[in-house]
Amino acid sequence: MTKPNGLPDYAGIVAEAEKAVAAVKDPELKLAAFGKVLDTLLASTAEQAADDGNDDSPVENNKKATQKTGKDKPQRVSGTIRYITELVDDSFFKTQRTIGAVKTELGNRGHHIPLTNLSGPLQRLCQKKVLRREKKTEGKKTVFAYSKW
């Protein structure tokens, strides 16, 4: 969906995404589905613009601007690492916290991230010495407790 000037018809794309999720009753599921449908529609619009030879579409320009080139490439922080870094900045890790506690707090803040997607970012932050981790025994389980470095 593009306008005659070659720019994407964002209002039409949003309307199409809303139409696609209109039958979903659960508000959280509807929001998640809307996001996925919208992402898919925007991606297909960007692909169509590229196929038409229009390299100046805003979506393509944005992708080009964020691509990493050479040694002077900017460091992009993934969403999960950024969310955990916000917890660090808010002194959440002043006391030791388990990965389950991190998941719960992120959920309270509206970031519902599966437990399996947290261990990697937490480990990377430990390697960068933003966080430190220590093995703890909880009953029969051995878990890592994370705290500020």
Side-chain angles (χ1 to χ4, degrees):
M1 293 179 150
T2 56
K3 294 180 180 178
N5 62 3
L7 294 174
D9 178 19
Y10 292 115
I13 293 170
V14 169
E16 190 174 338
E18 288 173 344
K19 182 179 169 187
V21 299
V24 179
K25 300 292 183 210
D26 182 6
E28 289 182 27
L29 183 58
K30 188 173 194 172
L31 182 62
F34 176 79
K36 291 288 184 182
V37 170
L38 188 61
D39 288 344
T40 303
L41 291 172
L42 288 172
S44 68
T45 302
E47 288 173 8
Q48 286 174 352
D51 290 344
D52 294 343
N54 182 4
D55 292 337
D56 295 332
S57 75
V59 175
E60 288 300 313
N61 285 341
N62 189 27
K63 285 181 182 179
K64 289 176 186 174
T66 59
Q67 285 178 347
K68 299 175 183 177
T69 57
K71 291 185 178 180
D72 59 337
K73 59 187 171 190
Q75 287 291 336
R76 293 184 58 201
V77 179
S78 77
T80 305
I81 291 178
R82 189 176 76 238
Y83 301 147
I84 295 170
T85 304
E86 288 174 5
L87 293 178
V88 172
D89 294 341
D90 292 342
S91 300
F92 177 76
F93 291 100
K94 196 172 191 177
T95 60
Q96 290 185 332
R97 306 293 184 138
T98 63
I99 192 169
V102 174
K103 179 188 182 321
T104 302
E105 181 61 24
L106 289 174
N108 291 341
R109 294 176 182 220
H111 308 297
H112 301 286
I113 300 169
L115 195 65
T116 55
N117 291 3
L118 288 175
S119 58
L122 283 169
Q123 185 176 9
R124 279 191 289 283
L125 288 171
C126 289
Q127 291 167 347
K128 292 179 182 179
K129 294 190 176 182
V130 174
L131 294 175
R132 62 181 348 166
R133 71 181 190 175
E134 181 181 339
K135 276 188 179 180
K136 294 283 186 180
T137 304
E138 289 185 355
K140 294 182 180 181
K141 284 185 175 180
T142 301
V143 295
F144 286 105
Y146 297 87
S147 61
K148 194 168 179 179
W149 187 256

